Amino acid sequence: MKTPSRIAPLVTDGLVDKVLRQLMSGKEAMVYVVQCGDEIRCAKVYKEANKRSFRQAVDYTEGRKIKNSRQARAMEKGSRYGRKEQEAAWQHAEVDALYRLAAAGVRVPTPYNFHEGVLLMELVADEDGEPAPRLNDVVLSDEVARQFHAILLRQVVRMLCAGIVHGDLSEYNVLVDSEGPVIIDLPQAIDAAANNNASRMLERDVDNLAAYFGQFAPELLTTSYGKEIWSLYETGKLHPESELTGAFEPEETLADLNEVMQIIDAASDEDAARRARKEAARLGDLSG
């Protein structure tokens, strides 16, 4: 096929030999199958902000590190330079996340290069070498559904141990190759420690998995893995091989009645003192 203009610089620089075909068009990017020497890879071409259908970017970008104060100010002002830098940061988020997650043992596509807004990465393939199907296109038995659910929960835990929450995980962002599920689409990945939305998004990711696999294994619909995982993370007890039960009971702490009474008494004393000062001031005015 004709080389898309955004991929042309990679061909010029020798990173891509030729574009074989378009693989898919998503809400964030266009993905092409490309020839790179003896290997077949993917080229993910990110869409510009005004052409993306993905919204609520502020929830995802909170806590992301900015290179310098000039970039931060420009992003806040929304200048042309600021918008350009914001786009670059959005794209780099996926590249950085892929490298970190691959190093942490999470099943994600291997990244090879990022050039001119195009991410060159592994083509996740099935046994025949064809692009692997998405999870939502795979017919599952109840047994395989439970198996895949357990695998993906373990991946979510590994991601969180690496400090990352996917933020948009569902059956549409998972491929299935000959070895099982592979997590994809990470430009909205968030920093678990720096983003105030992290716990909510982690729970949503996990609930999405339960809702999908629960169609095949209904018992998964009543689990609380998201809250359990975040609780372990918050208390510093989460590690890649943490045993999960799917049950979560929030700790109920009894109120210290003595402390409560002390607070009430202190407030009452302060109120009495305030009233006394006000009355003294009034009497002073009258005598004057």
Side-chain angles (χ1 to χ4, degrees):
M1 65 173 288
K2 181 181 178 182
T3 302
S5 59
R6 295 279 300 281
I7 298 181
L10 280 76
V11 176
T12 301
D13 291 348
L15 297 173
V16 170
D17 292 324
K18 62 179 178 178
V19 179
L20 301 178
R21 63 187 175 92
Q22 181 180 317
L23 180 59
M24 56 85 68
S25 176
K27 56 190 176 184
E28 303 156 358
M30 303 274 286
V31 180
Y32 298 88
V33 179
V34 298
Q35 181 87 40
C36 302
D38 296 330
E39 295 188 17
I40 304 297
R41 296 178 177 172
C42 276
K44 184 171 185 176
V45 181
Y46 292 96
K47 293 180 179 179
E48 296 174 2
N50 60 352
K51 297 179 181 177
R52 286 200 310 257
S53 59
F54 195 87
R55 294 292 181 262
Q56 299 177 319
V58 174
D59 286 350
Y60 297 91
T61 55
E62 178 185 312
R64 286 186 180 173
K65 294 179 181 179
I66 308 300
K67 290 181 181 179
N68 55 55
S69 57
R70 180 186 174 222
Q71 286 179 320
R73 288 195 300 271
M75 288 182 185
E76 288 177 3
K77 291 179 180 178
S79 66
R80 185 176 179 181
Y81 169 74
R83 291 194 300 272
K84 180 181 178 182
E85 289 300 310
Q86 199 163 31
E87 278 303 289
W90 179 265
Q91 296 166 9
H92 275 285
E94 177 162 35
V95 181
D96 295 342
L98 285 174
Y99 278 108
R100 285 173 62 183
L101 295 178
V106 179
R107 293 206 74 211
V108 294
T110 302
Y112 294 115
N113 212 308
F114 181 66
H115 185 71
E116 300 288 340
V118 180
L119 172 60
L120 199 59
M121 60 184 174
E122 170 192 6
L123 172 67
V124 180
D126 62 16
E127 295 178 349
D128 299 321
E130 292 297 314
R134 289 181 184 270
L135 177 60
N136 67 300
D137 292 324
V138 177
V139 178
L140 302 175
S141 65
D142 56 351
E143 182 180 353
V144 173
R146 293 187 190 96
Q147 179 186 358
F148 280 9
H149 180 259
I151 290 172
L152 284 167
L153 275 184
R154 184 58 52 198
Q155 300 303 299
V156 167
V157 168
R158 286 185 179 276
M159 290 176 71
L160 188 54
C161 288
I164 293 174
V165 174
H166 187 287
D168 191 34
L169 188 59
S170 72
E171 64 270 25
Y172 301 102
N173 290 328
V174 176
L175 300 179
V176 180
D177 68 6
S178 58
E179 297 180 20
V182 179
I183 294 174
I184 62 170
D185 293 341
L186 288 145
Q188 73 293 317
I190 62 176
D191 186 320
N195 192 310
N196 291 321
N197 303 296
S199 61
R200 174 173 60 83
M201 291 188 180
L202 176 98
E203 287 184 32
R204 187 178 66 188
D205 283 352
V206 174
D207 288 347
N208 285 345
L209 295 178
Y212 181 72
F213 289 113
Q215 300 174 84
F216 311 97
E219 71 274 11
L220 296 176
L221 296 172
T222 58
T223 56
S224 298
Y225 284 108
K227 293 184 182 298
E228 181 185 12
I229 290 170
W230 188 260
S231 177
L232 290 171
Y233 171 74
E234 250 188 340
T235 55
K237 298 176 183 177
L238 188 70
H239 57 82
E241 302 304 326
S242 291
E243 288 191 20
L244 302 175
T245 65
F248 177 75
E249 292 292 337
E251 291 186 8
E252 295 184 4
T253 56
L254 294 176
D256 187 330
L257 294 181
N258 288 332
E259 183 179 355
V260 172
M261 291 306 299
Q262 288 175 6
I263 293 172
I264 292 174
D265 289 343
S268 179
D269 291 343
E270 174 60 27
D271 183 61
R274 181 181 59 80
R275 288 175 181 272
R277 289 193 298 271
K278 186 175 180 180
E279 180 65 14
R282 185 182 69 81
L283 292 174
D285 291 342
L286 290 175
S287 63

